Structure formats: C-alpha cells, structure tokens
Amino acid sequence: MDARSSSWRYLLHPQIRLLPVYIPMGLYPFLSSDIHPDGDTVIKIGKSSLCIDGHAHNDVLRSAVILNPNRSDWDYVRRRGFKFIRTYGVFPNIRDARWYIPLDNPLVTFRAWDIYKPFALKGKVYKWVCRSLSLAKLSKHFGDTLLIAQDEVPILTEIASKYVEIDPAKHFITLSSGTPGPSRKVTACLTDGAGYPIVFVKLGDTGRAIASLQHEFDMMNYVGCRGYESFEIPFVLGYEAGEAFTYIITRPIGNLRPSGYTLLPLHINFLKETYESSAGQHLVDDLVYELASRHDDIRDSLPQEFNAALAESIVYIEDAILQKGIHTQLSHGDFAPWNVYLTPKRLVLLDWESGKISQFPLADAFHFVMQVDLLVKNMSGESSAARSLAEGQRVAKLIGADLSYRQIVGLYMAYLVDVILRWFEDRSGQDSYDLDALQRGRLQALLAASHLYSDARSGITR
C-alpha cells in the first residue's frame, strides 16, 4: 500500500497510538506498526456503527479518526465532546491519498483547490470539477471523507502558533501527502476562514525525511542571504529538529503564476545568474570522481541493465568533461514546473531539499526538460534525450557557457547518472527495486546519450 494512505496521521500527530475498530483486513498493513494496547486514538474504517462507550480505553481516548462517517458516527463524536472536529475530502481516495481538502467551510474548500496544482490534463479537469462543486457543498462526493476529532489542539496548529497568531477555531488545514519514498514528507497549508494561506509547514518523521529537511533548511539559508536578483524563496519563519519529527515553516508569497512547461526568459535568467555567480569556485572534476565512487559503492545491488549503462556512461563522462576546466554551479536540484512560479520580474523557487551548492552546469535545465517530457508528455527517454540536448545547447549559448557539443552531452550524462544513482541510494538495503516509468525513461535517455556521444567521438553525425 502507498505510504500516502496513512498521511492523515499528521493532522493529529505523527506519533499517535491507534486503537482500531472495524478495520478491514486489507487496510491493516499501514496500521500494524502503530497499533498499541494503550492506544489513545480510535480509528474506524468501515460501515459498521462505532460503539465503544464503556470500552476499557475510553477514559484515555484523546481523538477519533473515522473514514466515510455515518450519522451514528457523528452522534458519537458529539456525545464524546471532542473540542476540535474537522472533516476532509481525501483525493483521489484513502488508499492513494494525495490531498486532504477541508470540507467544513465551502469558501475554504473552494480556495484549497488552488493549492493543488496537477500537471496532467486529467488532474486539471478533475480539479476544475471539484472546485466548481465545492461552493455547493458537493465536494464530499469526490474521493473519501475523513472525520477527525480531537481533545487537544492539532499539532500543525500548535506549530504554527509559535510563529503567527492563530485562532484554532477560525483556521483550516489543507494537507499534501508528499511524494512516496524513503524521504517522504507532508506539506500543510494553514488558511484563514476565507481560505487565504497563512503559513506552510513541511514536516517529516523518518531519519531520511529529517535529514532532507535539514539539508533544505541549510540550502534556503545559503541562497537566501546572497541577494540573487533572478529568483526569490519563501521566507523561513522557523525550523525545529526533534526526536519525533522535524519541520520547516514558511510564509506564503502572493500573486504567483504557474511556471508552464517551457524554459522562458525568466528561467534563463535564473540559470545564467547561478552559472555566473559560481564561476571559478569549483571544477566538476571532483564530482566526476564522486560519480565513479558512488557507482562502485552500490554496483553489486543494481539491476544489470543499469550497471552496464552507468559504467559505460561514466567512462564517456570522464572523457568529455574531466580536466577540461569546467566549473560547477549552484543547482536547485528539482527545477521542475511544480516547484517554480513566476512573478512579473523573477522566479519563486520552492522545495530546495535536492539543492547543491556545487553541481554540474546545465543540470537544472536538463531536469526541467526531462521532468516535463517523462511525467507530463509521456515521451520516451530517447525522444527526451534529443530534446534535452537541443535545449542544453540553446541554454549554454544564452547563459554564456563556452561548452562544445561533446561536453554538453557529457554533462547531460553526468546529470542522468547522478539522479539515477541518487534514486538507488535512497533505496539502499532493498532486495529488489520497483522501477517506475520515470526510472525506465531515465535509463533510455542515458543509453541514447551514450550512443550519441560514442558517435560524436568517432566523428559520426546523424
């Protein structure tokens, strides 16, 4: 089951102790490690009536989570006297939960859909329909409905109240369940009663998620004090690392437009400024040696098809860019349309958890093109490689990078080897890998780039 199915826990507390009632066996896997004989949170998933009055644990019960509640569930919640009662639409459903949209205020529900920015056409149509129906209080007919009742102030409200003035009775929370994987984090937006954002909270409770948040905080501090003119980042209100969980809380930036799927002049300005500001600081040579070392560290656990492609590509990368005087540059790391927004004069960049102070030049440009090609346009890796290299040549010229075609191909392969290795490193220790379409597309692109470089080195043109 997708880990997103249990992300509702962040609306209460990541460390809640569960007391299950009427849970179908098929949903037990994502609950089993959290069930405790002294649980203080009753959870009900199913159509049976919730009747636990007189239960041995009822005296210490602090919260209730009920999926698709019926009238008797509401009666129980009111009778129990919980102080904080909230309902959410879970989209698309509890098994693959991506968004938790508050349903207690039609205007908040309407505006909460603005925070959800799907990149696929199907998702955009789905959002438009749900958003249009929300003012008529019909959003509950999409996805599952989740009823959450608590005696204590919700943890996300408690966090936000340290930095901004919050009235728990007059604010609402929209939750994104985050990208699945070992570093998964959730992001919550706290809004006022009119649905306007007050703060964003990004929170993680696993070792890798905490390390990722620490790195993102460090990167935001680094770029935030250097006065870049081509982009800005959200203002960090607070950061706190704890044993149970770690969070970053930021202030929203208003009047933003979506990036779109094409590298515009504003994008080029960012790529040019980060390239020029890093000039002469570090050479890519250490990064090339690092790729070879990282591959050696995990080669025994990799699928053979990836092993062979990575080994060949590293040889070509060394030939193309090693000891050529090419310098590194600052990189966002996940420079993709869903992390990039536009103001009239510059970009706003979110999610710096994959950022690097010293990265291969053009990596952000390659990443932008490939994410659009593979995730939005469903192109093959081979087709994306051709488009990425054409864009790489265009961007190199616009930012003033003196790079030959062979060096651009080498840098493209270096970008691909880096992201492929990072994906496997994040899953180290697994006996097998569930390779998704994105990883297959990256492998296809790497093979295509290797063939192009081999031909270019041999003087063959296509």
Side-chain angles (χ1 to χ4, degrees):
M1 178 174 293
D2 195 317
R4 286 182 294 213
S5 58
S6 62
S7 48
W8 52 264
R9 291 181 301 163
Y10 290 85
L11 292 164
L12 288 90
H13 194 288
Q15 306 291 316
I16 61 173
R17 301 192 307 272
L18 301 177
L19 175 64
V21 177
Y22 302 125
I23 299 178
M25 290 299 295
L27 290 178
Y28 259 95
F30 79 90
L31 295 173
S32 58
S33 62
D34 303 302
I35 294 174
H36 194 278
D38 296 323
D40 58 19
T41 299
V42 63
I43 174 169
K44 179 209 167 203
I45 302 176
K47 296 182 179 179
S48 302
S49 298
L50 176 59
C51 300
I52 65 168
D53 289 334
H55 192 282
H57 296 274
N58 201 33
D59 291 338
V60 296
L61 191 64
R62 298 194 309 176
S63 52
V65 179
I66 304 172
L67 180 67
N68 295 325
N70 54 38
R71 181 173 300 177
S72 65
D73 296 326
W74 278 105
D75 291 340
Y76 165 77
V77 168
R78 294 190 186 98
R79 187 173 65 251
R80 178 62 178 73
F82 289 108
K83 298 176 183 176
F84 303 96
I85 301 174
R86 298 165 288 161
T87 51
Y88 290 90
V90 186
F91 303 94
N93 53 62
I94 193 64
R95 291 180 178 271
D96 186 27
R98 296 173 185 269
W99 285 87
Y100 295 78
I101 303 289
L103 300 179
D104 301 306
N105 179 316
L107 185 58
V108 171
T109 305
F110 178 78
R111 292 210 167 105
W113 283 107
D114 289 336
I115 302 170
Y116 173 45
K117 294 180 171 60
F119 50 83
L121 178 60
K122 182 179 179 181
K124 290 179 180 179
V125 172
Y126 182 83
K127 168 185 171 177
W128 180 85
V129 173
C130 290
R131 189 174 186 270
S132 300
L133 292 173
S134 61
L135 289 178
K137 298 184 180 181
L138 295 176
S139 289
K140 63 183 68 177
H141 296 298
F142 295 84
D144 291 313
T145 299
L146 197 66
L147 170 62
I148 294 180
Q150 295 175 259
D151 274 342
E152 299 178 355
V153 175
I155 185 64
L156 292 169
T157 304
E158 184 180 319
I159 290 172
S161 64
K162 296 179 181 180
Y163 306 96
V164 294
E165 186 174 346
I166 291 287
D167 182 348
K170 297 180 180 179
H171 86 275
F172 299 85
I173 300 171
T174 299
L175 188 76
S176 165
S177 61
T179 303
S183 300
R184 184 179 70 93
K185 297 161 288 294
V186 302
T187 300
C189 175
L190 279 77
T191 69
D192 61 20
Y196 293 109
I198 301 171
V199 294
F200 287 92
V201 182
K202 183 180 287 189
L203 187 149
D205 66 333
T206 66
R208 290 187 178 180
I210 290 172
S212 177
L213 286 170
Q214 170 72 67
H215 178 72
E216 180 169 11
F217 179 67
D218 292 341
M219 285 298 304
M220 292 180 78
N221 278 337
Y222 177 86
V223 301
C225 65
R226 276 167 170 70
Y228 288 104
E229 296 181 356
S230 62
F231 70 96
E232 63 181 304
I233 63 174
F235 180 78
V236 178
L237 290 171
Y239 167 82
E240 186 170 320
E243 294 184 2
F245 56 86
T246 294
Y247 67 81
I248 298 176
I249 182 167
T250 57
R251 182 182 296 152
I253 299 174
N255 300 319
L256 302 181
R257 294 184 292 116
S259 164
Y261 302 142
T262 303
L263 289 173
L264 303 172
L266 287 177
H267 299 87
I268 301 300
N269 290 343
F270 159 75
L271 297 170
K272 180 179 177 65
E273 185 178 26
T274 52
Y275 179 77
E276 291 178 342
S277 66
S278 305
Q281 294 184 14
H282 303 282
L283 296 178
V284 299
D285 297 23
D286 287 344
L287 294 180
V288 175
Y289 296 132
E290 187 179 288
L291 289 182
S293 177
R294 289 165 61 194
H295 180 222
D296 287 340
D297 288 343
I298 64 172
R299 68 164 64 238
D300 292 341
S301 63
L302 294 179
Q304 181 55 37
E305 55 187 331
F306 279 86
N307 242 336
L310 290 169
E312 180 183 52
S313 297
I314 289 172
V315 172
Y316 288 156
I317 292 167
E318 292 174 346
D319 179 66
I321 63 176
L322 191 59
Q323 298 180 352
K324 298 295 193 299
I326 301 173
H327 63 77
T328 65
Q329 72 171 92
L330 173 71
S331 169
H332 176 272
D334 195 7
F335 191 67
W338 35 94
N339 292 328
V340 180
Y341 294 89
L342 308 178
T343 68
K345 295 183 178 180
R346 55 184 177 174
L347 304 181
V348 173
L349 301 183
L350 312 179
D351 293 342
W352 284 84
E353 60 196 60
S354 300
K356 294 185 71 174
I357 296 173
S358 295
Q359 179 59 292
F360 294 104
L362 302 180
D364 280 341
F366 293 139
H367 188 80
F368 189 99
V369 174
M370 173 153 279
Q371 294 295 94
V372 170
D373 288 351
L374 299 185
L375 296 179
V376 180
K377 298 181 178 180
N378 296 317
M379 292 173 58
S380 68
E382 185 174 16
S383 298
S384 179
R387 203 169 83 85
S388 296
L389 289 170
E391 277 292 88
Q393 288 180 284
R394 182 178 77 92
V395 171
K397 182 177 180 179
L398 291 173
I399 68 175
D402 184 17
L403 299 167
S404 68
Y405 175 71
R406 285 175 58 180
Q407 289 172 339
I408 290 173
V409 178
L411 290 169
Y412 179 57
M413 286 189 291
Y415 154 73
L416 286 169
V417 170
D418 178 43
V419 294
I420 289 172
L421 286 173
R422 192 188 317 154
W423 190 88
F424 283 109
E425 289 164 346
D426 284 344
R427 291 153 182 80
S428 61
Q430 295 186 4
D431 295 330
S432 61
Y433 301 99
D434 184 16
L435 297 171
D436 56 21
L438 181 60
Q439 306 315 314
R440 291 293 182 188
R442 287 170 173 169
L443 176 61
Q444 292 173 358
L446 186 61
L447 292 171
S450 295
H451 293 153
L452 287 172
Y453 187 80
S454 178
D455 291 347
R457 193 170 62 165
S458 304
I460 301 173
T461 59
R462 296 190 176 188

